[in-house]
Amino acid sequence: MPDRQSIYAKVVEMIAPFNKKGVSITEATRFAQDLEWDSLTVLDFVANVEDEFDVIISMNMQAEIETVGQLVDALQRLQDGK
């Protein structure tokens, strides 16, 4: 089971191709506001994350995730629940 730091590192790596503005990524980076992602970008990114971590991120969960740190926490919970 990956630890939180390795999940965070992988998420940051996966954000890179979508980070068109070159925003510095931290736990507090917000997907909509800081990275300025539209809904299509979010869908592409979520699909990649689901494939990489072999999890399903529900629409309700997606609605609650605004920052990189929140995504890492959610992924950790999903992985722990396997």
Side-chain angles (χ1 to χ4, degrees), residues 18 36-48 62:
F18 297 94
E36 298 179 18
W37 287 2
D38 60 17
S39 57
L40 191 57
T41 303
V42 170
L43 286 175
D44 284 348
F45 178 72
V46 168
N48 289 348
Q62 286 180 41

Side-chain angles (χ1 to χ4, degrees), residues 14-30:
M14 294 178 73
I15 288 171
F18 297 94
N19 189 0
K20 304 296 185 213
K21 302 240 182 249
V23 173
S24 179
I25 305 300
T26 69
E27 295 247 352
T29 301
R30 297 168 301 174

Side-chain angles (χ1 to χ4, degrees), residues 31-59:
F31 296 104
Q33 294 87 347
D34 299 327
L35 295 171
E36 298 179 18
W37 287 2
D38 60 17
S39 57
L40 191 57
T41 303
V42 170
L43 286 175
D44 284 348
F45 178 72
V46 168
N48 289 348
V49 168
E50 287 178 333
D51 288 347
E52 177 66 33
F53 289 94
D54 191 28
V55 296
I56 300 293
I57 301 173
S58 70
M59 294 303 278

